[in-house]
Amino acid sequence: MSLRPKSYQRIPARTVRTARAACPKGTPAMLVRDRLDVLFEDEVFASLYPADGRPGLSPGQLALVSVLQFAENLSDGQAADAVRTRIDWKYALGLELDDAGFDYSVLSEFRARLAEGDAADRLLTVMLERLVEAGLHDNHVAELLDQALYHVEHLRLGLSDTPADSARDMDDDVPAAL
């Protein structure tokens, strides 16, 4: 699978109209897009993909799906369904309303790529820089980033496969007496 960088700077007009009509106050996913625009550019992930081969899905979009998945504690299947069915996720990802999404197995493959070398650290660094630039870095965001770093370290050690597994791992670390 190779990388063919794409830009998702412009949200399709129909997606914008539908999302604003369905969610006039917005959602956290929409807020991410409104405040941060495109959170992850494909070029950040260029080193994870060979120069030739079948074009892969946008790693920038997969990274955002991973962030939204982690924030909502969704399984891979639930996250793939959200991409396919949720208007606010389509808005955040800059997708057409009729975009069919992808198979859930793509997310574990993407996490495996991130677990190699320092790719996950680069993803978190980019996210933190963008949050600070947008004035969204506060204690709650810092706590979420700490949880994300915990999750990344578990991925590196092979302890969990999904954000839901990571949450269970964290629960297992809490003594029963608490």
Side-chain angles (χ1 to χ4, degrees):
M1 200 168 297
S2 65
L3 177 62
R4 305 282 195 286
K6 294 172 83 175
S7 175
Y8 294 92
Q9 297 291 349
R10 189 185 68 71
I11 305 169
R14 198 173 103 195
T15 302
V16 172
R17 282 192 310 274
T18 304
R20 291 287 173 216
C23 310
K25 294 183 179 179
T27 67
M30 292 169 69
L31 174 67
V32 166
R33 180 60 186 242
D34 289 342
R35 295 290 297 272
L36 301 174
D37 196 26
V38 175
L39 183 55
F40 303 108
E41 296 286 347
D42 285 351
E43 289 78 15
V44 172
F45 304 98
S47 66
L48 300 178
Y49 293 86
D52 56 353
R54 185 172 52 96
L57 296 168
S58 163
Q61 286 183 315
L62 291 173
L64 181 54
V65 168
S66 298
V67 168
L68 296 172
Q69 176 187 14
F70 185 80
E72 295 188 20
N73 196 29
L74 301 177
S75 69
D76 287 353
Q78 290 169 322
D81 285 344
V83 171
R84 212 175 354 273
T85 63
R86 286 184 47 187
I87 295 166
D88 62 332
W89 279 44
K90 288 184 183 284
Y91 179 96
L93 294 165
L95 298 174
E96 295 283 352
L97 291 176
D98 59 356
D99 189 288
F102 52 82
D103 185 78
Y104 73 92
S105 63
V106 170
L107 291 170
S108 62
E109 294 166 10
F110 181 67
R111 280 193 305 276
R113 287 181 188 273
L114 286 180
E116 297 170 5
D118 68 343
D121 293 333
R122 282 187 288 138
L123 180 141
L124 291 171
T125 299
V126 167
M127 186 169 65
L128 181 59
E129 288 170 357
R130 297 295 310 278
L131 290 168
V132 169
E133 287 171 11
L136 295 174
H137 186 262
D138 60 15
N139 288 339
H140 179 69
V141 171
E143 183 179 317
L144 286 174
L145 286 172
D146 286 345
Q147 290 173 2
L149 287 168
Y150 178 85
H151 178 64
V152 166
E153 197 55 37
H154 270 65
L155 284 174
R156 281 196 186 119
L157 297 174
L159 298 177
S160 61
D161 290 330
T162 68
D165 290 340
S166 185
R168 282 191 292 278
D169 291 345
M170 286 188 267
D171 288 343
D172 291 344
D173 293 340
V174 177
L178 293 178

